[in-house]
Amino acid sequence: MRQLCKGNVAVVKGAILAGCRAYYGYPITPASEIAEAAALYLPQVGGTFLQAESEVAAINMVYGAAAAGARVMTASSGPGLSLMQEGISYLAGSELPCVIVDVVRGGPGLGNIAPEQSDYFCTVKGGGHGNYHNLVLAPASVQEMSDLTMLAFDLADTYRNPVLVMADGFIGQMMEPLELEYREPQIPEKPWAVKGTAETRKNLVSSIYLEPDELEAHQRKLEAKYARAQELEPRWELYEAEDADVLLVGFGIVSRVLRSAVEEARKKGLRAGLFRPITLWPYPSEALAKAAANVQKVLVVELSNGQMVEDVRLALDGKVPVEFYGRVGGNVPSVEEVQTELMACMTSLV
Amino acid sequence: MRQLCKGNVAVVKGAILAGCRAYYGYPITPASEIAEAAALYLPQVGGTFLQAESEVAAINMVYGAAAAGARVMTASSGPGLSLMQEGISYLAGSELPCVIVDVVRGGPGLGNIAPEQSDYFCTVKGGGHGNYHNLVLAPASVQEMSDLTMLAFDLADTYRNPVLVMADGFIGQMMEPLELEYREPQIPEKPWAVKGTAETRKNLVSSIYLEPDELEAHQRKLEAKYARAQELEPRWELYEAEDADVLLVGFGIVSRVLRSAVEEARKKGLRAGLFRPITLWPYPSEALAKAAANVQKVLVVELSNGQMVEDVRLALDGKVPVEFYGRVGGNVPSVEEVQTELMACMTSLV
Amino acid sequence: MRQLCKGNVAVVKGAILAGCRAYYGYPITPASEIAEAAALYLPQVGGTFLQAESEVAAINMVYGAAAAGARVMTASSGPGLSLMQEGISYLAGSELPCVIVDVVRGGPGLGNIAPEQSDYFCTVKGGGHGNYHNLVLAPASVQEMSDLTMLAFDLADTYRNPVLVMADGFIGQMMEPLELEYREPQIPEKPWAVKGTAETRKNLVSSIYLEPDELEAHQRKLEAKYARAQELEPRWELYEAEDADVLLVGFGIVSRVLRSAVEEARKKGLRAGLFRPITLWPYPSEALAKAAANVQKVLVVELSNGQMVEDVRLALDGKVPVEFYGRVGGNVPSVEEVQTELMACMTSLV
Amino acid sequence: MRQLCKGNVAVVKGAILAGCRAYYGYPITPASEIAEAAALYLPQVGGTFLQAESEVAAINMVYGAAAAGARVMTASSGPGLSLMQEGISYLAGSELPCVIVDVVRGGPGLGNIAPEQSDYFCTVKGGGHGNYHNLVLAPASVQEMSDLTMLAFDLADTYRNPVLVMADGFIGQMMEPLELEYREPQIPEKPWAVKGTAETRKNLVSSIYLEPDELEAHQRKLEAKYARAQELEPRWELYEAEDADVLLVGFGIVSRVLRSAVEEARKKGLRAGLFRPITLWPYPSEALAKAAANVQKVLVVELSNGQMVEDVRLALDGKVPVEFYGRVGGNVPSVEEVQTELMACMTSLV
């Protein structure tokens, strides 16, 4: 079924196809259409939509529904996402699967409602306390808003961990063709959940481990799980990277600008290529190292002051020089701007 | 004046000497003695102590007092600190000075009340949304709990930015001699504050910049400020680093174990040294690169799953191999454990 | 279908039979079994149970569901009911139907969890601001816990007004036979509701009337409705009242003690009778005046410091002397105690 | 010192003269100037003003300060007052002195911001749960806004009970000459308070009494206190009442209209008089009964649907016919309207 669809709405369509039947949230621009679509569609499939009194309330309801074994989600933008950090840390500590969509707006503080990518640290490094990781997916199209949301639910259950879908205001607000295919959601058994039945009465969902050795053992178990994800789940896309002299790195809306910049550069005889991370955590570090093995320079472009660039530098570990170009406040670099930066990179290579 | 004092109490003594007269918080182990001491001492100097109904309420009161020009602080541990992330992002975005003390406990989620250093990402990378940095200080003794809190107030005013003092449960709970010296607090004029007077009526404290160009300009201003801090404020300590073959890196309570490990190693003929970052942001990257210029290996030890190690690797950029050793859940590595790790490093060098 | 059932559980069974499919609340002794039963049974009939983060949150969710046209309820005890007063005033002002069950415990403040009837003023006179009335029903048995809850839903829809079921801890906690008969719930059309459909998009549910004349007109409309309820809805029960010299007045658990006291008195040759109000608002004042027309004294017994006694005195308007006997804190007067009071009344008549 | 002053500001001036040094509240029209004045003046006398995050937070801060022995106040209007009902019940149950000013606006629900007296039931009968009374004072001028606030603090301490000052939007917003006289506040010793000192460490401020007999004994103690207040504290004003045929009864702004109506009536040869209750609880029932002993009719006028009229009827107990005339929504009856009602009363007497 092909349709023209807004990115934020595509999130909900994907979620429902993935078997999500519960949404708890509080609206915030530019993520509000997600709440609106959830309010409209979830009741139609026998699901629950609830506008909570705050993001703190919402994320704790997500915790409750996840503990009961439901496929559950919420969505927000920066300020709301910040308020959810305690809850996210609890979800990770309790190994509860859930999907959280962050449609990033300008910050810090109130900022504005224009697109940024400045929640990277908050989502990827972990804005809440303690040793944990969120899985983070970065869609670059309306189709991916739906597809990666579906994937997010599967990963959440596979790893019993919160999965974030981090989009930006552009991807959330734009309309593009969306192809939806019905599939029977593969929801695993959750024998650990508290389902209100006699046999699950003994189950206890908690993140508390009072004894140091107990908490350390729990942490080691989490780390083993994270290592597994780092091995199996990195996702990325390459474009004209094979013979590139300069490798552009960017995600989300930025990757679309970079793709055009690659094409423009190639027209001018500059061998540019593109590496687009699809998973921000686990970061596709090996794939990036491999893709950059023969390039002379890497240029990272972000709608931020430079956050993902740290992961790029960690991945390359000094083997290739890394440059950064960022715009913020809702300004998105144009193809021409990127060209100029590319030129500067090339020149400095001479 | 020399006295035996608990780390958490030393924080409050330093704060009062620095001219802090307002505390808004919510108690949480292992930070509760800070609230208790603030409740006891602040009224004695004409100050205000208020236990808010939640950490969300507390950090917003901090915002209010800071906007009015007061030297103000709060303190918490992981779960509470997570709840404060929205407020911290607002404080940073509005360029408001304040001091936030985080006495780290085990996580994620409820975890336990034993010491960890696992809030590093949350405090140093920024757990709230948007492009901002906290200045972060890491005391390693009761004396520093007081001294660095005093420094925190000065830095907060200098940079008009939140400053975090990130301690761990050990440093917070231990008793050591404390030397306090009265000094007249040097509180700068704050012509931007909203003081309830006619001349400050026009002042507006906000983090909202609706136009992209406006927000970008604001962000560039913040970045210039952060660059200044990165140039001027890195602080660190070296111990036996000059001729070291292996450089140990650790902060807080860990640095004290590492110091003993260096001594033990030297007794055995191994040239080990210690680099202790005192500021976690700005990270003393240059100093570290310089200190590590001639070592064969760097061993980072943290009470976490490996968070600061990323900043170490970013600082060294592949020039020196970096190993990591971490304990969590409240377990602190012993000198012997560190010795064993050191040995392993040395051996692998052969 | 006859079964042995707890009063609090009977409430939920009646609610479901009445077509209630939504429950929002926060548990509190001695009302918690209502939440438990709602959590168990509502999902089985496709309904929603939600434990909110506070009673303030819960009553505002009730407002939302009622505005959407659903049959919705909550339950609490004193402290929680007090927190709901703003919401109840809003529901009344917006003419929204809902059912609120108050299982009264000892007060004021925390008091204790033993039965009282001391929320009479709060529920009957109206604890929230403004000119409004709740309809209030006072069950005296497990059967009535179910029957009056069913009636409450019908009255709520008929009058578009909150209806309270005010029980006490005894009625809530006791087990008695319960006879349930399935009936098809008669839920009226609600063209005023905001149902998420195109045709109800224009509907506005609000309690705001900025212009004085507008608000006064709204108030007169409410008053006309209340007058209709006062004419049509008073409910009461008489026992041996026809030839009585002394009329006992009491509701809920007290009425059962009074009934025994009447029997004991009659055995001793004293002509005592009982008037039991079933609706506390509208108060059955006319019926009481008629029943008391020929008695020499009225003795009001309450588990309070004397609250309903005001309505008795207003109903009788000085025509019959009114005495009061009250116990509080969870103490319920025994038949013997009531006998002694009755004797004192009789003696003072001589 | 004589000055022109707004009613809401006069409240704060009186409070400060009475030794109040702490204000916790949340602004709401038409009470907001009280918060503004408190924010301005309290810091000037070394006091604390705090805008809480909600009325629920505010009243619990009042609880805390009162428990610490401070003279403390808050102010609000209908919706906020409703949210405070749990807190007020706790204050009464814990026997904590405090002053709460209610500047009544239109209700129920949001209503409007125009003056009403429709919080009578909520303040006088007790909108919170359990058996308790607030003392309630009803100012009718700017001078009384100050004087009765001062009295309120004294009564609060004398009876260790919440005292409400219930004004209406007119009295709160109007400007009139105010005469302030400095007096040294007579604040009693409060050996029961928790002052943070060694000797008060054993004190426990609570409203919990788990055993029925304990709670009943506590309640009897409260009742003895209330009886004392009912004996000593009723306050009222008479105007031309001695030879009246019709007695007008009204409080607050209404009493000023009624006074003019009395004068107009007398000009026309109708012997009208006025009874103005100053304390709404304890209600001056005896004084009213005495004043009405020889009248032929009583006409109660309120800015409500008829709430105080119940206390008038209870006071007169059927001995004199009682009529009611009410306006709502912010409409205040004119002298002419009252004249017409008076005439109707007189005519019906013939």
Side-chain angles (χ1 to χ4, degrees):
Chain A
M1 198 178 74
R2 201 173 162 86
Q3 55 192 290
L4 196 65
C5 188
K6 199 178 237 203
N8 280 343
V9 175
V11 160
V12 178
K13 295 190 174 180
I16 288 177
L17 281 179
C20 172
R21 291 296 179 270
Y23 182 104
Y24 306 96
Y26 192 87
I28 180 172
T29 305
S32 296
E33 294 89 356
I34 303 183
E36 283 169 30
L40 185 62
Y41 296 134
L42 272 169
Q44 293 176 12
V45 294
T48 295
F49 167 84
L50 191 136
Q51 180 173 327
E53 79 180 80
S54 72
E55 287 87 352
V56 176
I59 196 69
N60 284 296
M61 290 174 182
V62 168
Y63 185 107
R71 284 204 154 172
V72 56
M73 73 175 294
T74 188
S76 192
S77 188
L81 190 80
S82 302
L83 282 169
M84 291 180 182
Q85 292 305 322
E86 190 208 25
I88 295 175
S89 169
Y90 277 59
L91 283 153
S94 300
E95 294 194 85
L96 287 175
C98 67
V99 172
I100 300 160
V101 180
D102 178 23
V103 185
V104 186
R105 58 184 268 175
L110 280 168
N112 64 21
I113 59 172
E116 277 195 354
Q117 298 180 323
S118 56
D119 292 357
Y120 187 95
F121 279 154
C122 178
T123 59
V124 173
K125 298 295 168 185
H129 63 288
N131 300 300
Y132 72 97
H133 294 288
N134 303 311
L135 282 83
V136 186
L137 308 179
S141 66
V142 170
Q143 185 65 47
E144 281 193 351
M145 284 293 262
S146 176
D147 293 349
L148 294 185
T149 299
M150 291 175 77
L151 175 62
F153 279 101
D154 287 342
L155 292 175
D157 277 341
T158 301
Y159 292 94
R160 287 187 58 187
N161 205 70
V163 180
L164 274 116
V165 176
M166 179 170 152
D168 53 75
F170 266 103
I171 299 292
Q173 300 292 330
M174 63 167 53
M175 295 192 80
E176 283 183 336
L178 169 67
E179 183 74 43
L180 287 181
E181 203 177 334
Y182 181 75
R183 57 154 209 192
E184 194 60 38
Q186 301 299 320
I187 308 179
E189 286 297 305
K190 304 188 179 181
W192 47 265
V194 183
K195 300 175 186 174
T197 57
E199 61 268 29
T200 63
R201 206 184 171 80
K202 56 171 207 318
N203 288 347
L204 182 66
V205 175
S206 169
S207 61
I208 202 165
Y209 294 87
L210 287 179
E211 287 307 311
D213 287 343
E214 258 188 308
L215 182 53
E216 190 161 49
H218 173 63
Q219 179 63 32
R220 295 310 180 211
K221 185 184 152 214
L222 294 182
E223 284 169 18
K225 180 169 92 174
Y226 298 144
R228 212 157 54 239
Q230 283 174 307
E231 193 190 324
L232 301 177
E233 304 304 342
R235 282 163 172 81
W236 67 92
E237 190 186 26
L238 292 169
Y239 180 67
E240 305 276 13
E242 221 150 283
D243 64 345
D245 288 326
V246 179
L247 190 65
L248 292 164
V249 184
F251 66 96
I253 187 66
V254 169
S255 68
R256 295 168 68 143
V257 178
L258 298 188
R259 177 180 283 259
S260 303
V262 165
E263 287 162 5
E264 287 304 308
R266 294 254 166 196
K267 282 184 201 159
K268 292 179 186 153
L270 303 180
R271 281 182 308 197
L274 168 65
F275 183 88
R276 168 169 84 98
I278 296 173
T279 51
L280 300 181
W281 200 96
Y283 199 76
S285 304
E286 275 184 49
L288 173 58
K290 208 173 134 199
N294 301 314
V295 308
Q296 292 178 286
K297 213 152 211 180
V298 164
L299 173 61
V300 177
V301 183
E302 295 179 63
L303 302 185
S304 83
N305 64 339
Q307 301 191 6
M308 181 183 68
V309 67
E310 292 199 357
D311 282 328
V312 171
R313 292 181 58 218
L314 287 167
L316 302 181
D317 206 22
K319 294 187 190 76
V320 190
V322 177
E323 303 286 336
F324 171 73
Y325 183 66
R327 293 300 303 271
V328 297
N331 288 320
V332 177
S334 62
V335 174
E336 293 67 39
E337 260 177 280
V338 177
Q339 287 289 106
T340 312
E341 290 300 312
L342 255 179
M343 288 305 198
C345 284
M346 295 309 236
T347 316
S348 71
L349 288 179
V350 186
Chain B
M1 199 179 71
R2 200 175 163 81
Q3 56 193 287
L4 197 64
C5 190
K6 200 180 239 202
N8 281 340
V9 175
V11 161
V12 178
K13 295 189 173 179
I16 288 176
L17 282 178
C20 172
R21 290 297 178 269
Y23 183 103
Y24 306 95
Y26 193 88
I28 180 173
T29 306
S32 297
E33 294 89 355
I34 303 182
E36 284 170 30
L40 185 63
Y41 296 133
L42 272 169
Q44 293 176 13
V45 294
T48 295
F49 166 86
L50 190 134
Q51 181 174 327
E53 79 181 80
S54 73
E55 286 87 352
V56 176
I59 195 70
N60 283 296
M61 290 176 180
V62 167
Y63 184 107
R71 283 205 156 173
V72 56
M73 74 175 293
T74 189
S76 192
S77 188
L81 190 79
S82 302
L83 282 168
M84 291 181 180
Q85 292 306 322
E86 189 208 26
I88 294 174
S89 171
Y90 277 58
L91 283 152
S94 299
E95 295 193 83
L96 288 175
C98 67
V99 174
I100 299 159
V101 181
D102 177 23
V103 185
V104 187
R105 58 185 267 176
L110 281 168
N112 65 22
I113 59 175
E116 277 196 356
Q117 298 180 323
S118 55
D119 293 355
Y120 187 94
F121 280 152
C122 177
T123 60
V124 173
K125 299 296 168 184
H129 64 287
N131 301 299
Y132 73 97
H133 294 287
N134 303 311
L135 283 82
V136 185
L137 309 177
S141 67
V142 169
Q143 185 65 47
E144 281 192 350
M145 284 292 263
S146 176
D147 293 349
L148 293 185
T149 298
M150 293 176 76
L151 174 63
F153 279 101
D154 288 343
L155 293 175
D157 277 342
T158 302
Y159 293 94
R160 287 188 55 190
N161 206 70
V163 180
L164 274 116
V165 177
M166 179 170 150
D168 53 75
F170 265 104
I171 300 292
Q173 300 292 329
M174 65 168 50
M175 296 194 78
E176 284 184 335
L178 169 67
E179 183 74 43
L180 288 181
E181 202 177 333
Y182 180 75
R183 58 156 209 192
E184 193 61 39
Q186 301 299 319
I187 307 180
E189 287 298 306
K190 304 187 180 180
W192 48 265
V194 182
K195 298 176 186 172
T197 59
E199 61 268 30
T200 63
R201 205 185 174 78
K202 59 171 203 318
N203 289 346
L204 182 65
V205 176
S206 170
S207 61
I208 202 164
Y209 294 88
L210 286 181
E211 287 307 311
D213 286 344
E214 261 190 305
L215 182 53
E216 191 161 48
H218 173 62
Q219 180 63 30
R220 297 306 179 214
K221 185 180 153 219
L222 294 182
E223 284 168 20
K225 180 168 94 172
Y226 298 144
R228 210 157 56 241
Q230 283 175 306
E231 192 189 326
L232 300 175
E233 307 303 344
R235 282 165 172 80
W236 68 93
E237 190 187 26
L238 291 168
Y239 180 66
E240 305 275 14
E242 219 150 285
D243 64 343
D245 289 325
V246 180
L247 190 66
L248 292 164
V249 184
F251 66 96
I253 187 68
V254 169
S255 68
R256 296 168 69 143
V257 179
L258 299 188
R259 178 179 281 261
S260 303
V262 165
E263 286 162 6
E264 288 302 309
R266 295 250 165 201
K267 280 184 201 157
K268 295 181 183 150
L270 303 181
R271 283 182 306 195
L274 168 66
F275 183 89
R276 168 169 85 98
I278 297 173
T279 51
L280 300 182
W281 199 97
Y283 200 77
S285 304
E286 274 184 50
L288 174 56
K290 207 173 136 199
N294 301 312
V295 307
Q296 294 177 280
K297 213 148 209 183
V298 165
L299 172 62
V300 178
V301 182
E302 295 179 65
L303 303 185
S304 82
N305 63 340
Q307 301 190 8
M308 181 184 68
V309 68
E310 291 198 358
D311 282 328
V312 172
R313 292 180 57 218
L314 286 167
L316 302 181
D317 206 22
K319 295 190 189 74
V320 190
V322 176
E323 304 285 337
F324 172 72
Y325 183 67
R327 293 300 304 269
V328 297
N331 287 321
V332 177
S334 63
V335 174
E336 292 68 38
E337 259 176 280
V338 177
Q339 287 290 106
T340 310
E341 289 300 311
L342 255 180
M343 285 310 195
C345 286
M346 295 310 236
T347 316
S348 69
L349 289 178
V350 186
Chain C
M1 198 180 74
R2 203 174 162 83
Q3 55 191 287
L4 196 64
C5 189
K6 202 180 236 203
N8 281 342
V9 176
V11 160
V12 178
K13 295 190 172 180
I16 287 176
L17 281 179
C20 172
R21 290 297 177 271
Y23 182 104
Y24 306 96
Y26 193 87
I28 180 173
T29 306
S32 296
E33 293 90 354
I34 303 182
E36 285 170 28
L40 185 62
Y41 296 133
L42 272 169
Q44 293 176 11
V45 295
T48 295
F49 167 85
L50 191 136
Q51 180 173 326
E53 80 179 79
S54 73
E55 287 87 352
V56 175
I59 196 69
N60 283 298
M61 290 176 183
V62 168
Y63 185 105
R71 284 204 154 172
V72 55
M73 73 175 294
T74 187
S76 192
S77 187
L81 191 79
S82 303
L83 282 169
M84 291 181 182
Q85 292 304 321
E86 191 208 27
I88 295 176
S89 171
Y90 277 59
L91 283 154
S94 299
E95 296 195 85
L96 287 175
C98 68
V99 172
I100 300 159
V101 180
D102 177 23
V103 185
V104 187
R105 58 184 267 175
L110 281 168
N112 64 21
I113 58 171
E116 276 197 355
Q117 299 180 323
S118 56
D119 292 357
Y120 187 94
F121 280 154
C122 177
T123 58
V124 173
K125 298 297 169 186
H129 64 288
N131 301 297
Y132 73 96
H133 294 289
N134 303 310
L135 282 84
V136 186
L137 309 177
S141 66
V142 169
Q143 184 67 47
E144 282 193 350
M145 285 293 263
S146 176
D147 293 349
L148 293 184
T149 298
M150 292 176 76
L151 175 62
F153 279 100
D154 288 341
L155 292 175
D157 277 341
T158 301
Y159 292 96
R160 289 187 54 188
N161 207 70
V163 180
L164 275 114
V165 175
M166 177 171 152
D168 51 75
F170 266 103
I171 301 291
Q173 300 292 328
M174 63 168 53
M175 295 193 79
E176 282 183 336
L178 169 66
E179 181 76 41
L180 287 182
E181 204 176 330
Y182 180 74
R183 57 156 209 189
E184 192 61 36
Q186 301 299 319
I187 307 179
E189 286 297 304
K190 304 186 179 180
W192 48 264
V194 183
K195 297 175 189 175
T197 58
E199 62 268 31
T200 62
R201 207 184 169 79
K202 60 174 202 319
N203 288 346
L204 182 66
V205 175
S206 169
S207 61
I208 204 166
Y209 294 87
L210 286 180
E211 287 307 310
D213 287 344
E214 259 190 307
L215 183 53
E216 191 162 45
H218 173 62
Q219 180 63 32
R220 294 312 178 208
K221 186 183 152 214
L222 294 182
E223 284 169 18
K225 180 169 93 172
Y226 297 145
R228 210 156 56 241
Q230 284 174 306
E231 194 190 323
L232 300 176
E233 305 304 343
R235 282 165 172 80
W236 67 92
E237 189 186 28
L238 291 169
Y239 180 66
E240 304 276 14
E242 217 151 287
D243 65 343
D245 288 327
V246 179
L247 190 66
L248 292 164
V249 184
F251 66 96
I253 187 68
V254 169
S255 68
R256 295 168 68 142
V257 179
L258 297 188
R259 180 180 277 260
S260 302
V262 165
E263 285 161 4
E264 288 302 308
R266 294 253 165 196
K267 281 184 198 158
K268 292 179 184 153
L270 304 179
R271 283 182 307 197
L274 167 66
F275 182 90
R276 169 169 84 98
I278 296 173
T279 53
L280 299 181
W281 199 95
Y283 200 75
S285 303
E286 274 183 49
L288 173 58
K290 207 172 135 201
N294 300 311
V295 308
Q296 292 178 284
K297 215 151 209 180
V298 163
L299 174 60
V300 178
V301 182
E302 295 179 64
L303 303 186
S304 84
N305 64 339
Q307 302 191 6
M308 180 183 68
V309 66
E310 291 199 359
D311 282 328
V312 171
R313 290 180 60 218
L314 287 167
L316 303 181
D317 206 22
K319 294 189 190 76
V320 190
V322 176
E323 303 286 338
F324 172 73
Y325 182 68
R327 293 301 302 273
V328 297
N331 287 321
V332 177
S334 63
V335 174
E336 293 67 40
E337 260 177 279
V338 177
Q339 286 291 103
T340 310
E341 289 302 310
L342 254 180
M343 286 308 197
C345 285
M346 295 311 235
T347 316
S348 70
L349 290 178
V350 187
Chain D
M1 198 178 74
R2 200 172 163 86
Q3 55 191 289
L4 196 64
C5 189
K6 200 179 238 204
N8 280 342
V9 176
V11 161
V12 178
K13 296 190 172 179
I16 288 175
L17 282 179
C20 172
R21 290 298 178 271
Y23 183 103
Y24 307 95
Y26 193 88
I28 181 172
T29 307
S32 297
E33 294 89 355
I34 303 183
E36 284 170 29
L40 186 62
Y41 296 134
L42 272 169
Q44 294 175 12
V45 294
T48 295
F49 166 85
L50 190 135
Q51 179 173 327
E53 79 179 80
S54 72
E55 287 88 352
V56 175
I59 195 69
N60 283 299
M61 290 176 180
V62 167
Y63 186 106
R71 283 204 157 174
V72 57
M73 73 175 294
T74 189
S76 192
S77 189
L81 190 80
S82 302
L83 281 169
M84 291 180 181
Q85 292 304 321
E86 191 208 25
I88 296 175
S89 170
Y90 277 58
L91 284 153
S94 299
E95 295 194 82
L96 288 175
C98 68
V99 173
I100 300 159
V101 181
D102 178 22
V103 186
V104 187
R105 58 183 268 174
L110 281 167
N112 64 22
I113 60 174
E116 277 196 357
Q117 298 180 324
S118 55
D119 292 357
Y120 187 94
F121 280 153
C122 177
T123 59
V124 173
K125 298 297 167 184
H129 65 287
N131 302 297
Y132 72 96
H133 294 287
N134 303 311
L135 282 82
V136 186
L137 308 178
S141 66
V142 169
Q143 185 66 48
E144 281 192 353
M145 284 292 263
S146 177
D147 293 350
L148 293 185
T149 298
M150 294 175 75
L151 175 62
F153 279 100
D154 288 342
L155 293 175
D157 276 342
T158 303
Y159 292 95
R160 288 187 54 189
N161 207 68
V163 180
L164 275 116
V165 177
M166 178 170 150
D168 52 75
F170 266 103
I171 299 292
Q173 300 293 329
M174 64 168 50
M175 295 195 78
E176 284 185 335
L178 169 67
E179 182 74 43
L180 287 181
E181 205 177 331
Y182 181 76
R183 58 158 210 189
E184 192 60 41
Q186 302 298 319
I187 306 178
E189 286 297 307
K190 304 186 179 182
W192 49 264
V194 182
K195 298 176 189 174
T197 57
E199 61 269 27
T200 63
R201 206 183 170 79
K202 63 176 198 314
N203 288 347
L204 181 65
V205 175
S206 168
S207 61
I208 203 166
Y209 294 89
L210 286 181
E211 287 306 311
D213 287 345
E214 260 190 306
L215 182 53
E216 190 161 49
H218 174 61
Q219 180 62 30
R220 296 311 179 209
K221 186 183 153 216
L222 294 181
E223 284 169 19
K225 179 170 94 172
Y226 297 143
R228 210 157 58 240
Q230 283 174 308
E231 193 189 324
L232 301 176
E233 305 305 344
R235 282 163 172 82
W236 67 92
E237 190 188 23
L238 290 169
Y239 180 65
E240 304 278 13
E242 218 151 285
D243 64 345
D245 287 327
V246 179
L247 190 65
L248 290 164
V249 184
F251 66 96
I253 188 67
V254 169
S255 69
R256 296 168 69 143
V257 178
L258 298 188
R259 178 180 280 262
S260 302
V262 164
E263 285 162 5
E264 287 302 309
R266 294 249 166 201
K267 281 184 199 158
K268 295 181 183 151
L270 302 180
R271 284 182 306 197
L274 169 65
F275 182 89
R276 169 169 83 98
I278 296 172
T279 51
L280 300 181
W281 199 95
Y283 200 77
S285 304
E286 274 184 48
L288 173 58
K290 209 171 135 201
N294 300 313
V295 309
Q296 292 178 283
K297 214 149 208 180
V298 164
L299 174 60
V300 177
V301 183
E302 296 180 62
L303 303 185
S304 83
N305 63 338
Q307 300 191 7
M308 180 184 68
V309 66
E310 292 199 358
D311 282 330
V312 171
R313 291 179 60 215
L314 287 168
L316 302 181
D317 206 21
K319 296 191 188 73
V320 191
V322 177
E323 303 284 339
F324 171 73
Y325 183 68
R327 291 300 303 271
V328 297
N331 287 319
V332 177
S334 64
V335 175
E336 294 67 38
E337 258 177 282
V338 176
Q339 285 292 106
T340 311
E341 289 301 310
L342 254 180
M343 286 306 194
C345 285
M346 294 311 235
T347 316
S348 71
L349 288 177
V350 187

